[in-house]
Amino acid sequence: GQQLNQSPQSMFIQEGEDVSMNCTSSSIFNTWLWYKQDPGEGPVLLIALYKAGELTSNGRLTAQFGITRKDSFLNISASIPSDVGIYFCAGQEGEYGNKLVFGAGTILRVKS
Amino acid sequence: DGGITQSPKYLFRKEGQNVTLSCEQNLNHDAMYWYRQDPGQGLRLIYYSQIVNDFQKGDIAEGYSVSREKKESFPLTVTSAQKNPTAFYLCASGGEQNTEAFFGQGTRLTVV
């Protein structure tokens, strides 16, 4: 199936630092989504992006839909301990109802 | 409250037995999905359904079966043909215009 390359695979940062992670694809996506998963729980949707070039914020989170429609990034500003978890990007290729493709995830660990 | 519910949270199965995982949503979503997650790994699509009485295989459908007799329900059966069924199983349903997916809390299946 379609692959999304998500990087970095893991991060270990100091509390208060900014964090950046990204996803790239070999094909064009119509939608980019970013999720966070806590241990033993289902992923929770953080940000949804629908248009090329779109920049959207949700509190300390900011995500952008790349102009080429083949990439997206997620930034977390001023990280705190509860930011720990796995962050997934997901993309949707087609129109209404098409399946989502997920990246392998970025594991975020924060030093307090 | 609207949401997507998976049950049970934990499930133990003996080798050679079939087992069915429940997924119910009251969000009036057309699309529903089943994903498998192995430790430290991303999400892999098992099956998805865009409409009642229709479903498609995902990337790892072998050893699994589904049904979609009602819009609200998308049960997953892990059959004895699945060689390595121990994993965390996540169900999701499609959001507005089915461009987003919202996840349940997951079912952790362990074969004993």
PDB file of all heavy atoms in Angstrom, chain B residues 4-29:
ATOM      1  N   ILE B   4     -17.282   6.555  19.649  1.00  0.00           N
ATOM      2  CA  ILE B   4     -17.028   5.245  19.081  1.00  0.00           C
ATOM      3  C   ILE B   4     -16.548   4.338  20.205  1.00  0.00           C
ATOM      4  O   ILE B   4     -15.636   4.709  20.946  1.00  0.00           O
ATOM      5  CB  ILE B   4     -16.045   5.350  17.897  1.00  0.00           C
ATOM      6  CG1 ILE B   4     -15.773   3.993  17.297  1.00  0.00           C
ATOM      7  CG2 ILE B   4     -14.775   6.085  18.273  1.00  0.00           C
ATOM      8  CD1 ILE B   4     -15.116   4.077  15.929  1.00  0.00           C
ATOM      9  N   THR B   5     -17.175   3.205  20.345  1.00  0.00           N
ATOM     10  CA  THR B   5     -16.934   2.317  21.479  1.00  0.00           C
ATOM     11  C   THR B   5     -16.442   0.964  21.017  1.00  0.00           C
ATOM     12  O   THR B   5     -17.075   0.326  20.176  1.00  0.00           O
ATOM     13  CB  THR B   5     -18.229   2.132  22.297  1.00  0.00           C
ATOM     14  OG1 THR B   5     -18.702   3.419  22.719  1.00  0.00           O
ATOM     15  CG2 THR B   5     -17.975   1.268  23.519  1.00  0.00           C
ATOM     16  N   GLN B   6     -15.316   0.551  21.584  1.00  0.00           N
ATOM     17  CA  GLN B   6     -14.802  -0.781  21.324  1.00  0.00           C
ATOM     18  C   GLN B   6     -14.931  -1.614  22.592  1.00  0.00           C
ATOM     19  O   GLN B   6     -14.701  -1.112  23.691  1.00  0.00           O
ATOM     20  CB  GLN B   6     -13.326  -0.724  20.923  1.00  0.00           C
ATOM     21  CG  GLN B   6     -13.083  -0.128  19.569  1.00  0.00           C
ATOM     22  CD  GLN B   6     -11.622  -0.225  19.173  1.00  0.00           C
ATOM     23  OE1 GLN B   6     -10.949   0.760  18.967  1.00  0.00           O
ATOM     24  NE2 GLN B   6     -11.122  -1.462  19.071  1.00  0.00           N
ATOM     25  N   SER B   7     -15.250  -2.879  22.397  1.00  0.00           N
ATOM     26  CA  SER B   7     -15.288  -3.782  23.541  1.00  0.00           C
ATOM     27  C   SER B   7     -14.890  -5.184  23.119  1.00  0.00           C
ATOM     28  O   SER B   7     -15.116  -5.585  21.975  1.00  0.00           O
ATOM     29  CB  SER B   7     -16.693  -3.782  24.169  1.00  0.00           C
ATOM     30  OG  SER B   7     -17.642  -4.243  23.236  1.00  0.00           O
ATOM     31  N   PRO B   8     -14.296  -5.948  24.042  1.00  0.00           N
ATOM     32  CA  PRO B   8     -13.832  -5.510  25.347  1.00  0.00           C
ATOM     33  C   PRO B   8     -12.511  -4.753  25.248  1.00  0.00           C
ATOM     34  O   PRO B   8     -11.917  -4.687  24.175  1.00  0.00           O
ATOM     35  CB  PRO B   8     -13.644  -6.829  26.092  1.00  0.00           C
ATOM     36  CG  PRO B   8     -13.224  -7.781  25.016  1.00  0.00           C
ATOM     37  CD  PRO B   8     -13.997  -7.373  23.790  1.00  0.00           C
ATOM     38  N   LYS B   9     -12.027  -4.215  26.342  1.00  0.00           N
ATOM     39  CA  LYS B   9     -10.739  -3.505  26.370  1.00  0.00           C
ATOM     40  C   LYS B   9      -9.582  -4.510  26.273  1.00  0.00           C
ATOM     41  O   LYS B   9      -8.585  -4.262  25.615  1.00  0.00           O
ATOM     42  CB  LYS B   9     -10.644  -2.710  27.671  1.00  0.00           C
ATOM     43  CG  LYS B   9      -9.324  -1.966  27.851  1.00  0.00           C
ATOM     44  CD  LYS B   9      -9.296  -0.684  27.046  1.00  0.00           C
ATOM     45  CE  LYS B   9      -8.082   0.165  27.434  1.00  0.00           C
ATOM     46  NZ  LYS B   9      -7.915   1.319  26.536  1.00  0.00           N
ATOM     47  N   TYR B  10      -9.750  -5.637  26.978  1.00  0.00           N
ATOM     48  CA  TYR B  10      -8.747  -6.703  26.951  1.00  0.00           C
ATOM     49  C   TYR B  10      -9.440  -8.020  26.616  1.00  0.00           C
ATOM     50  O   TYR B  10     -10.543  -8.288  27.093  1.00  0.00           O
ATOM     51  CB  TYR B  10      -8.040  -6.840  28.306  1.00  0.00           C
ATOM     52  CG  TYR B  10      -7.314  -5.601  28.747  1.00  0.00           C
ATOM     53  CD1 TYR B  10      -7.924  -4.680  29.591  1.00  0.00           C
ATOM     54  CD2 TYR B  10      -6.023  -5.338  28.300  1.00  0.00           C
ATOM     55  CE1 TYR B  10      -7.262  -3.528  29.985  1.00  0.00           C
ATOM     56  CE2 TYR B  10      -5.359  -4.189  28.690  1.00  0.00           C
ATOM     57  CZ  TYR B  10      -5.986  -3.285  29.527  1.00  0.00           C
ATOM     58  OH  TYR B  10      -5.331  -2.145  29.911  1.00  0.00           O
ATOM     59  N   LEU B  11      -8.766  -8.828  25.816  1.00  0.00           N
ATOM     60  CA  LEU B  11      -9.356 -10.084  25.367  1.00  0.00           C
ATOM     61  C   LEU B  11      -8.266 -11.136  25.280  1.00  0.00           C
ATOM     62  O   LEU B  11      -7.187 -10.877  24.720  1.00  0.00           O
ATOM     63  CB  LEU B  11     -10.017  -9.882  24.010  1.00  0.00           C
ATOM     64  CG  LEU B  11     -10.873 -10.998  23.436  1.00  0.00           C
ATOM     65  CD1 LEU B  11     -11.996 -11.372  24.396  1.00  0.00           C
ATOM     66  CD2 LEU B  11     -11.453 -10.560  22.098  1.00  0.00           C
ATOM     67  N   PHE B  12      -8.578 -12.302  25.827  1.00  0.00           N
ATOM     68  CA  PHE B  12      -7.641 -13.413  25.768  1.00  0.00           C
ATOM     69  C   PHE B  12      -8.277 -14.535  24.967  1.00  0.00           C
ATOM     70  O   PHE B  12      -9.450 -14.846  25.145  1.00  0.00           O
ATOM     71  CB  PHE B  12      -7.273 -13.896  27.175  1.00  0.00           C
ATOM     72  CG  PHE B  12      -6.545 -12.866  27.974  1.00  0.00           C
ATOM     73  CD1 PHE B  12      -7.232 -11.917  28.713  1.00  0.00           C
ATOM     74  CD2 PHE B  12      -5.157 -12.813  27.959  1.00  0.00           C
ATOM     75  CE1 PHE B  12      -6.557 -10.947  29.441  1.00  0.00           C
ATOM     76  CE2 PHE B  12      -4.471 -11.859  28.679  1.00  0.00           C
ATOM     77  CZ  PHE B  12      -5.171 -10.915  29.421  1.00  0.00           C
ATOM     78  N   ARG B  13      -7.482 -15.137  24.127  1.00  0.00           N
ATOM     79  CA  ARG B  13      -7.997 -16.184  23.256  1.00  0.00           C
ATOM     80  C   ARG B  13      -7.039 -17.362  23.242  1.00  0.00           C
ATOM     81  O   ARG B  13      -5.811 -17.158  23.237  1.00  0.00           O
ATOM     82  CB  ARG B  13      -8.140 -15.619  21.851  1.00  0.00           C
ATOM     83  CG  ARG B  13      -8.829 -16.548  20.859  1.00  0.00           C
ATOM     84  CD  ARG B  13      -8.624 -16.096  19.426  1.00  0.00           C
ATOM     85  NE  ARG B  13      -7.488 -16.774  18.808  1.00  0.00           N
ATOM     86  CZ  ARG B  13      -7.151 -16.633  17.535  1.00  0.00           C
ATOM     87  NH1 ARG B  13      -7.833 -15.816  16.774  1.00  0.00           N
ATOM     88  NH2 ARG B  13      -6.129 -17.281  17.042  1.00  0.00           N
ATOM     89  N   LYS B  14      -7.600 -18.530  23.191  1.00  0.00           N
ATOM     90  CA  LYS B  14      -6.760 -19.721  23.046  1.00  0.00           C
ATOM     91  C   LYS B  14      -6.433 -19.901  21.573  1.00  0.00           C
ATOM     92  O   LYS B  14      -7.226 -19.547  20.689  1.00  0.00           O
ATOM     93  CB  LYS B  14      -7.487 -20.962  23.569  1.00  0.00           C
ATOM     94  CG  LYS B  14      -7.689 -20.969  25.074  1.00  0.00           C
ATOM     95  CD  LYS B  14      -8.341 -22.258  25.518  1.00  0.00           C
ATOM     96  CE  LYS B  14      -8.527 -22.272  27.029  1.00  0.00           C
ATOM     97  NZ  LYS B  14      -9.191 -23.523  27.486  1.00  0.00           N
ATOM     98  N   GLU B  15      -5.289 -20.464  21.333  1.00  0.00           N
ATOM     99  CA  GLU B  15      -4.904 -20.730  19.951  1.00  0.00           C
ATOM    100  C   GLU B  15      -5.951 -21.588  19.276  1.00  0.00           C
ATOM    101  O   GLU B  15      -6.492 -22.523  19.868  1.00  0.00           O
ATOM    102  CB  GLU B  15      -3.555 -21.458  19.920  1.00  0.00           C
ATOM    103  CG  GLU B  15      -2.380 -20.523  19.902  1.00  0.00           C
ATOM    104  CD  GLU B  15      -1.092 -21.234  19.540  1.00  0.00           C
ATOM    105  OE1 GLU B  15      -1.024 -21.800  18.450  1.00  0.00           O
ATOM    106  OE2 GLU B  15      -0.188 -21.225  20.382  1.00  0.00           O
ATOM    107  N   GLY B  16      -6.243 -21.288  18.022  1.00  0.00           N
ATOM    108  CA  GLY B  16      -7.201 -22.091  17.274  1.00  0.00           C
ATOM    109  C   GLY B  16      -8.639 -21.637  17.391  1.00  0.00           C
ATOM    110  O   GLY B  16      -9.517 -22.183  16.725  1.00  0.00           O
ATOM    111  N   GLN B  17      -8.879 -20.645  18.244  1.00  0.00           N
ATOM    112  CA  GLN B  17     -10.252 -20.156  18.411  1.00  0.00           C
ATOM    113  C   GLN B  17     -10.468 -18.881  17.626  1.00  0.00           C
ATOM    114  O   GLN B  17      -9.564 -18.052  17.508  1.00  0.00           O
ATOM    115  CB  GLN B  17     -10.527 -19.863  19.891  1.00  0.00           C
ATOM    116  CG  GLN B  17     -10.713 -21.085  20.746  1.00  0.00           C
ATOM    117  CD  GLN B  17     -11.043 -20.711  22.175  1.00  0.00           C
ATOM    118  OE1 GLN B  17     -10.790 -19.595  22.625  1.00  0.00           O
ATOM    119  NE2 GLN B  17     -11.618 -21.648  22.912  1.00  0.00           N
ATOM    120  N   ASN B  18     -11.691 -18.720  17.110  1.00  0.00           N
ATOM    121  CA  ASN B  18     -12.074 -17.441  16.532  1.00  0.00           C
ATOM    122  C   ASN B  18     -12.537 -16.519  17.658  1.00  0.00           C
ATOM    123  O   ASN B  18     -13.050 -16.972  18.677  1.00  0.00           O
ATOM    124  CB  ASN B  18     -13.239 -17.618  15.547  1.00  0.00           C
ATOM    125  CG  ASN B  18     -12.846 -18.383  14.312  1.00  0.00           C
ATOM    126  OD1 ASN B  18     -11.675 -18.716  14.114  1.00  0.00           O
ATOM    127  ND2 ASN B  18     -13.817 -18.683  13.481  1.00  0.00           N
ATOM    128  N   VAL B  19     -12.384 -15.221  17.441  1.00  0.00           N
ATOM    129  CA  VAL B  19     -12.860 -14.254  18.427  1.00  0.00           C
ATOM    130  C   VAL B  19     -13.336 -13.009  17.679  1.00  0.00           C
ATOM    131  O   VAL B  19     -12.776 -12.646  16.649  1.00  0.00           O
ATOM    132  CB  VAL B  19     -11.740 -13.884  19.429  1.00  0.00           C
ATOM    133  CG1 VAL B  19     -10.586 -13.201  18.740  1.00  0.00           C
ATOM    134  CG2 VAL B  19     -12.277 -13.064  20.570  1.00  0.00           C
ATOM    135  N   THR B  20     -14.400 -12.397  18.200  1.00  0.00           N
ATOM    136  CA  THR B  20     -14.977 -11.219  17.549  1.00  0.00           C
ATOM    137  C   THR B  20     -14.829 -10.001  18.428  1.00  0.00           C
ATOM    138  O   THR B  20     -15.177 -10.016  19.614  1.00  0.00           O
ATOM    139  CB  THR B  20     -16.460 -11.453  17.227  1.00  0.00           C
ATOM    140  OG1 THR B  20     -16.569 -12.554  16.302  1.00  0.00           O
ATOM    141  CG2 THR B  20     -17.071 -10.214  16.587  1.00  0.00           C
ATOM    142  N   LEU B  21     -14.303  -8.929  17.832  1.00  0.00           N
ATOM    143  CA  LEU B  21     -14.124  -7.654  18.512  1.00  0.00           C
ATOM    144  C   LEU B  21     -15.256  -6.720  18.075  1.00  0.00           C
ATOM    145  O   LEU B  21     -15.554  -6.609  16.882  1.00  0.00           O
ATOM    146  CB  LEU B  21     -12.778  -7.030  18.147  1.00  0.00           C
ATOM    147  CG  LEU B  21     -11.520  -7.572  18.814  1.00  0.00           C
ATOM    148  CD1 LEU B  21     -11.315  -9.058  18.556  1.00  0.00           C
ATOM    149  CD2 LEU B  21     -10.309  -6.777  18.341  1.00  0.00           C
ATOM    150  N   SER B  22     -15.825  -6.042  19.054  1.00  0.00           N
ATOM    151  CA  SER B  22     -16.967  -5.182  18.782  1.00  0.00           C
ATOM    152  C   SER B  22     -16.538  -3.739  18.543  1.00  0.00           C
ATOM    153  O   SER B  22     -15.606  -3.243  19.197  1.00  0.00           O
ATOM    154  CB  SER B  22     -17.937  -5.239  19.962  1.00  0.00           C
ATOM    155  OG  SER B  22     -18.939  -4.254  19.852  1.00  0.00           O
ATOM    156  N   CYS B  23     -17.215  -3.061  17.627  1.00  0.00           N
ATOM    157  CA  CYS B  23     -17.017  -1.638  17.391  1.00  0.00           C
ATOM    158  C   CYS B  23     -18.369  -1.019  17.057  1.00  0.00           C
ATOM    159  O   CYS B  23     -19.025  -1.444  16.097  1.00  0.00           O
ATOM    160  CB  CYS B  23     -16.033  -1.394  16.262  1.00  0.00           C
ATOM    161  SG  CYS B  23     -15.770   0.359  15.933  1.00  0.00           S
ATOM    162  N   GLU B  24     -18.776  -0.050  17.869  1.00  0.00           N
ATOM    163  CA  GLU B  24     -20.060   0.628  17.685  1.00  0.00           C
ATOM    164  C   GLU B  24     -19.830   2.131  17.685  1.00  0.00           C
ATOM    165  O   GLU B  24     -19.055   2.642  18.495  1.00  0.00           O
ATOM    166  CB  GLU B  24     -21.024   0.282  18.831  1.00  0.00           C
ATOM    167  CG  GLU B  24     -21.293  -1.202  19.014  1.00  0.00           C
ATOM    168  CD  GLU B  24     -22.338  -1.726  18.060  1.00  0.00           C
ATOM    169  OE1 GLU B  24     -23.208  -0.936  17.628  1.00  0.00           O
ATOM    170  OE2 GLU B  24     -22.309  -2.931  17.748  1.00  0.00           O
ATOM    171  N   GLN B  25     -20.522   2.840  16.773  1.00  0.00           N
ATOM    172  CA  GLN B  25     -20.424   4.293  16.767  1.00  0.00           C
ATOM    173  C   GLN B  25     -21.818   4.905  16.637  1.00  0.00           C
ATOM    174  O   GLN B  25     -22.682   4.361  15.938  1.00  0.00           O
ATOM    175  CB  GLN B  25     -19.504   4.783  15.633  1.00  0.00           C
ATOM    176  CG  GLN B  25     -19.860   4.297  14.236  1.00  0.00           C
ATOM    177  CD  GLN B  25     -20.636   5.274  13.383  1.00  0.00           C
ATOM    178  OE1 GLN B  25     -20.972   6.382  13.815  1.00  0.00           O
ATOM    179  NE2 GLN B  25     -20.940   4.878  12.154  1.00  0.00           N
ATOM    180  N   ASN B  26     -22.017   6.020  17.332  1.00  0.00           N
ATOM    181  CA  ASN B  26     -23.287   6.742  17.244  1.00  0.00           C
ATOM    182  C   ASN B  26     -23.071   8.134  16.685  1.00  0.00           C
ATOM    183  O   ASN B  26     -23.783   9.083  17.043  1.00  0.00           O
ATOM    184  CB  ASN B  26     -23.983   6.778  18.606  1.00  0.00           C
ATOM    185  CG  ASN B  26     -23.143   7.462  19.660  1.00  0.00           C
ATOM    186  OD1 ASN B  26     -22.065   7.993  19.366  1.00  0.00           O
ATOM    187  ND2 ASN B  26     -23.602   7.464  20.894  1.00  0.00           N
ATOM    188  N   LEU B  27     -22.078   8.249  15.817  1.00  0.00           N
ATOM    189  CA  LEU B  27     -21.724   9.530  15.208  1.00  0.00           C
ATOM    190  C   LEU B  27     -22.363   9.707  13.830  1.00  0.00           C
ATOM    191  O   LEU B  27     -22.110  10.713  13.161  1.00  0.00           O
ATOM    192  CB  LEU B  27     -20.195   9.621  15.083  1.00  0.00           C
ATOM    193  CG  LEU B  27     -19.438   9.510  16.408  1.00  0.00           C
ATOM    194  CD1 LEU B  27     -17.949   9.303  16.157  1.00  0.00           C
ATOM    195  CD2 LEU B  27     -19.674  10.749  17.257  1.00  0.00           C
ATOM    196  N   ASN B  28     -23.128   8.717  13.400  1.00  0.00           N
ATOM    197  CA  ASN B  28     -23.776   8.739  12.082  1.00  0.00           C
ATOM    198  C   ASN B  28     -22.744   8.787  10.947  1.00  0.00           C
ATOM    199  O   ASN B  28     -23.001   9.376   9.885  1.00  0.00           O
ATOM    200  CB  ASN B  28     -24.757   9.910  11.958  1.00  0.00           C
ATOM    201  CG  ASN B  28     -25.771   9.681  10.840  1.00  0.00           C
ATOM    202  OD1 ASN B  28     -26.170   8.548  10.576  1.00  0.00           O
ATOM    203  ND2 ASN B  28     -26.149  10.753  10.171  1.00  0.00           N
ATOM    204  N   HIS B  29     -21.600   8.174  11.169  1.00  0.00           N
ATOM    205  CA  HIS B  29     -20.561   8.150  10.152  1.00  0.00           C
ATOM    206  C   HIS B  29     -20.788   7.004   9.168  1.00  0.00           C
ATOM    207  O   HIS B  29     -21.170   5.902   9.558  1.00  0.00           O
ATOM    208  CB  HIS B  29     -19.184   7.956  10.794  1.00  0.00           C
ATOM    209  CG  HIS B  29     -18.730   9.157  11.558  1.00  0.00           C
ATOM    210  ND1 HIS B  29     -17.671   9.110  12.441  1.00  0.00           N
ATOM    211  CD2 HIS B  29     -19.161  10.430  11.571  1.00  0.00           C
ATOM    212  CE1 HIS B  29     -17.484  10.310  12.961  1.00  0.00           C
ATOM    213  NE2 HIS B  29     -18.386  11.126  12.447  1.00  0.00           N
TER     214      HIS B  29
END
